[in-house]
């Protein structure tokens, strides 16, 4: 066995030795701001042999309304993985770190009882604002046992890219960035010490996006990738991708820690850019490799894809992304990262389904509008949003909620009916995806009314939380 401590030495070990997921932890947002129990972490049974398959078997409530749980991560992962005797002193992967995009708080939940997580600590948003930070977003563990969380704004909600750190006891210890340069905006990040680099992305000012999407705010959205020297915490340079790259959100390095390349999904206009560092180059080069065209409607308006999540399979062969507005999930073969090849596309409703009342008059990709999707008698509402792939790459889970103010704006029917999680079965040999007709997690009949599922994690780690470090 080459797995160790909280993770795996290599991505290949994760594929071969990682257990099949039987539980799915899901950030679940309560759209009713008056509900005193607020948002919660759902524990979902995804074991096909279990009598509670596809059911929420436990809910860990924050009991603080209005915070908006969003993304979350583990206290430790494969970046902490060590060989030999050092394994004995490694922390367990048994705490989840849940930052709040609206209330600025950070929740820590223990998974020592895997089927019934418990809330063990709350860092109030006021502590974040004392550091002149707000809207904590992505949480990654670091190899030294500490935790780093990206932040999207300053204390007043203006755009500012920074990071806060927690120690191994989950105490807020300060900000990470050093030097005079600061990123204009923040969102996601991924680090790779082998190349002494960290890359971060940008959304916009929290005081703007917290009130929904408005065209007038597009000029204020970020368009840059920010490259840091990992060892010194300094922002070295920012690469502006241009207006078509508005809101470059999810960043994914290849899992192979000796590959200095990755991808970023640019949300608003649905583009994917590849970033890579030439062998003899000092800077990363960024180039567009996927461009999803808009759909033109009968009234002359256009609907962009709104690419909201991307991920890369553990073997670095396939890239997946979701177009929340168009309603499709795509799979690309990236065996040649310079030329991603579309290998599958599955529609899971969205804004252009055939009975939506919307008439598409120009579509560069489709001959007709997709039909509504019904699974186990339940019509899906909204569009595909967050993605999580099994370690072996065979099961792709898809949830529907983006961010409750935006959900209410674009998909009010989904908010009223409750969100869903579906599963796509993946052909890992030839490429391809199909909807699993026997899998549906329905959040429409939750105890406190319909709720909205967002990001998903497994107890054994996954393709978007585990970062691997070179072992030599």
């Amino acid at each position: 066995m080459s797995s160790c401590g909280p993770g795996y030495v290599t991505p290949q070990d994760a594929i071969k030795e990682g257990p099949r997921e039987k539980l799915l932890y899901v950030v679940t947002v309560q759209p009713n701001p008056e509900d005193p129990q607020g948002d919660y972490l759902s524990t979902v049974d995804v074991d096909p042999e279990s009598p509670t398959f596809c059911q929420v078997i436990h809910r860990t409530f924050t009991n603080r309304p209005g915070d908006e749980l969003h993304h979350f991560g583990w206290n430790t992962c494969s970046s902490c993985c060590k060989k030999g005797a050092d394994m004995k002193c490694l922390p367990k992967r048994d705490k989840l770190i849940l930052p709040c995009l609206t209330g600025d708080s950070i929740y820590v939940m223990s998974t020592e009882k895997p089927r019934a997580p418990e809330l063990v600590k709350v860092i109030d948003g006021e502590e974040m604002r004392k550091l002149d930070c707000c809207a904590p977003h992505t949480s990654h563990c670091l190899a030294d046992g500490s935790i780093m969380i990206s932040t999207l704004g300053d204390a007043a909600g203006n755009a500012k890219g920074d990071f806060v750190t927690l120690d191994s006891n989950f105490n807020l210890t300060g900000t990470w960035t050093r030097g005079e340069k600061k990123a204009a905006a923040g969102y996601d990040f991924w680090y790779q010490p082998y190349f002494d680099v960290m890359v971060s992305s940008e959304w916009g000012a929290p005081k703007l996006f917290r009130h929904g999407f408005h065209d007038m705010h597009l000029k204020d959205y970020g368009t840059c990738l920010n490259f840091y020297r990992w060892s010194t915490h300094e922002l070295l340079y920012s690469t502006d991708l241009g207006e078509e790259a508005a809101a470059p959100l999810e960043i994914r390095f290849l899992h192979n820690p000796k590959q200095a390349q990755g991808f970023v999904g640019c949300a608003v206009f649905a583009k994917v850019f590849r970033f890579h560092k030439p062998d003899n180059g000092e800077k990363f080069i960024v180039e567009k490799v996927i461009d999803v065209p808009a759909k033109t409607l009968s009234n002359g308006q256009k609907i962009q894809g709104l690419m909201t999540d991307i991920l890369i399979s553990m073997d670095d062969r396939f890239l997946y992304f979701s177009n929340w507005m168009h309603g499709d999930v795509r799979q690309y073969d990236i065996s040649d990262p310079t030329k991603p090849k579309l290998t599958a596309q599955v529609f899971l409703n969205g804004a252009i389904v055939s009975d939506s009342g919307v008439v598409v008059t120009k579509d560069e990709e489709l001959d007709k509008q997709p039909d509504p999707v019904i699974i186990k008698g339940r019509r899906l509402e909204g569009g595909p949003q967050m993605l999580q792939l099994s370690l072996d790459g065979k099961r792709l889970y898809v949830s529907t909620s983006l961010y409750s103010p935006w959900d209410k704006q674009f998909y009010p029917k989904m908010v009223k009916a409750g969100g869903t999680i579906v599963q796509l079965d993946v052909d890992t040999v030839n490429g391809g995806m199909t909807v699993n007709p026997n899998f549906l997690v329905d959040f429409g009949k939750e105890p406190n009314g319909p709720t909205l599922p967002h990001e998903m994690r497994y107890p054994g780690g996954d393709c978007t939380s585990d970062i691997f470090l070179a072992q030599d």
Side-chain angles (χ1 to χ4, degrees):
M1 293 287 287
S2 48
S3 63
C4 63
Y8 304 90
V9 176
T10 69
Q12 291 72 29
D13 293 331
I15 296 169
K16 295 177 182 177
E17 301 170 9
R20 174 175 174 140
E21 67 286 352
K22 294 185 177 181
L23 296 176
L24 193 63
Y25 297 126
V26 184
V27 157
T28 310
V29 175
Q30 170 56 260
N32 176 12
E34 305 301 321
D35 189 294
Q37 289 188 290
D39 303 339
Y40 53 100
L41 181 71
S42 295
T43 305
V44 178
D45 187 338
V46 294
D47 180 0
E49 304 301 318
S50 171
T52 54
F53 180 54
C54 286
Q55 294 180 30
V56 177
I57 59 174
H58 190 269
R59 300 166 184 85
T60 310
F61 289 93
T62 63
N63 292 307
R64 289 165 48 125
D67 262 345
E68 186 97 18
L69 296 177
H70 197 62
H71 284 207
F72 65 125
W74 288 102
N75 64 312
T76 185
C77 75
S78 293
S79 68
C80 302
C81 195
K82 297 179 177 68
K83 296 179 180 179
D86 287 344
M87 289 169 53
K88 296 178 181 178
C89 63
L90 292 175
K92 294 180 180 179
R93 194 201 301 254
D94 63 359
K95 302 292 190 304
L96 285 166
I97 316 301
L98 296 94
C100 297
L101 197 54
T102 297
D104 305 331
S105 303
I106 300 170
Y107 294 89
V108 181
M109 296 188 183
S110 171
T111 61
E112 290 186 41
K113 300 176 181 177
R115 296 175 70 87
E118 299 176 342
L119 177 61
V120 295
K121 185 166 185 174
V122 181
I123 299 173
D124 190 78
E126 186 56 33
E127 294 188 51
M128 287 281 301
R129 293 186 286 273
K130 287 178 181 177
L131 296 174
D132 195 31
C133 295
C134 79
H137 187 270
T138 298
S139 171
H140 277 304
C141 67
L142 308 185
D144 63 2
S146 61
I147 294 157
M148 185 162 142
I149 305 172
S150 60
T151 58
L152 279 61
D154 64 15
N158 303 301
K160 184 188 81 164
D162 209 340
F163 310 86
V164 297
T165 53
L166 309 180
D167 63 23
S168 58
N169 294 315
F170 314 111
N171 298 308
L172 195 60
T173 55
T175 55
W176 181 85
T177 309
R178 301 289 180 263
E180 296 299 320
K181 291 183 181 180
K182 296 290 189 296
Y187 188 76
D188 196 20
F189 72 100
W190 198 283
Y191 62 86
Q192 193 42 265
Y194 187 78
F195 296 99
D196 199 17
V197 69
M198 182 186 78
V199 188
S200 73
S201 58
E202 303 183 337
W203 186 357
K207 67 181 183 182
L208 298 181
F209 67 67
R210 285 171 172 170
H211 299 286
F213 175 83
H214 302 281
D215 287 338
M216 70 181 74
H217 296 156
L218 264 180
K219 66 182 186 301
D220 299 309
Y221 278 22
T223 57
C224 291
L225 286 184
N226 302 296
F227 293 86
Y228 294 78
R229 181 181 287 120
W230 180 245
S231 59
T232 62
H233 306 191
E234 296 172 283
L235 175 61
L236 298 179
Y237 57 92
S238 299
T239 301
D240 193 336
L241 309 183
E243 293 182 1
E244 68 173 347
L249 297 186
E250 311 297 341
I251 284 188
R252 309 293 182 226
F253 256 93
L254 294 185
H255 294 287
N256 182 344
K258 293 188 177 180
Q259 286 288 321
Q261 60 179 316
F263 299 85
V264 61
C266 301
V268 177
F269 299 110
K271 320 293 182 190
V272 175
F273 284 74
R274 171 180 173 250
F275 54 90
H276 63 102
K277 188 175 184 180
D279 291 340
N280 298 318
E282 294 185 2
K283 289 188 174 183
F284 277 77
I285 296 171
V286 187
E287 58 193 0
K288 183 173 65 176
V289 291
I290 300 174
D291 190 335
V292 178
K295 317 289 186 186
T296 303
L297 308 184
S298 57
N299 60 7
Q301 294 183 342
K302 293 185 177 181
I303 292 184
Q304 303 289 344
L306 197 60
M307 184 186 298
T308 49
D309 197 15
I310 71 168
L311 63 76
I312 296 173
S313 61
M314 195 62 78
D315 61 2
D316 290 336
R317 182 181 172 194
F318 293 110
L319 179 145
Y320 299 83
F321 65 76
S322 56
N323 286 314
W324 194 56
M325 291 301 294
H326 287 177
D328 58 315
V329 176
R330 302 192 187 197
Q331 178 197 59
Y332 284 78
D333 188 324
I334 54 170
S335 300
D336 179 355
T338 66
K339 297 179 181 179
K341 179 183 177 182
L342 181 64
T343 46
Q345 181 180 26
V346 174
F347 278 86
L348 297 171
N349 274 41
I352 62 167
V353 288
S354 57
D355 65 353
S356 63
V358 169
V359 178
V360 178
T361 56
K362 181 180 179 182
D363 192 324
E364 298 179 28
E365 298 181 310
L366 303 177
D367 296 327
K368 65 183 185 69
Q369 293 175 233
D371 292 324
V373 178
I374 298 174
I375 300 177
K376 299 181 73 172
R378 166 75 143 87
R379 178 192 167 113
L380 303 186
E381 298 290 353
Q385 213 289 98
M386 293 306 296
L387 308 174
Q388 195 52 265
L389 186 67
S390 59
L391 291 174
D392 63 8
K394 295 181 179 180
R395 294 166 299 283
L396 183 68
Y397 298 91
V398 187
S399 65
T400 52
S401 173
L402 172 59
Y403 178 47
S404 66
W406 292 41
D407 294 345
K408 293 173 182 178
Q409 178 182 354
F410 291 105
Y411 290 122
K413 288 184 179 179
M414 189 263 287
V415 176
K416 184 177 180 180
T420 53
I421 298 175
V422 301
Q423 180 188 304
L424 303 182
D425 294 326
V426 178
D427 183 340
T428 59
V429 177
N430 303 305
M433 301 184 295
T434 56
V435 176
N436 184 332
N438 300 312
F439 188 101
L440 177 75
V441 185
D442 187 349
F443 289 82
K445 297 179 180 178
E446 286 293 276
N448 296 345
T451 54
L452 306 170
H454 188 66
E455 192 170 41
M456 301 162 283
R457 297 259 178 245
Y458 314 127
D462 52 66
C463 294
T464 56
S465 64
D466 275 51
I467 293 176
F468 296 85
L469 305 187
Q471 296 297 315
D472 53 39

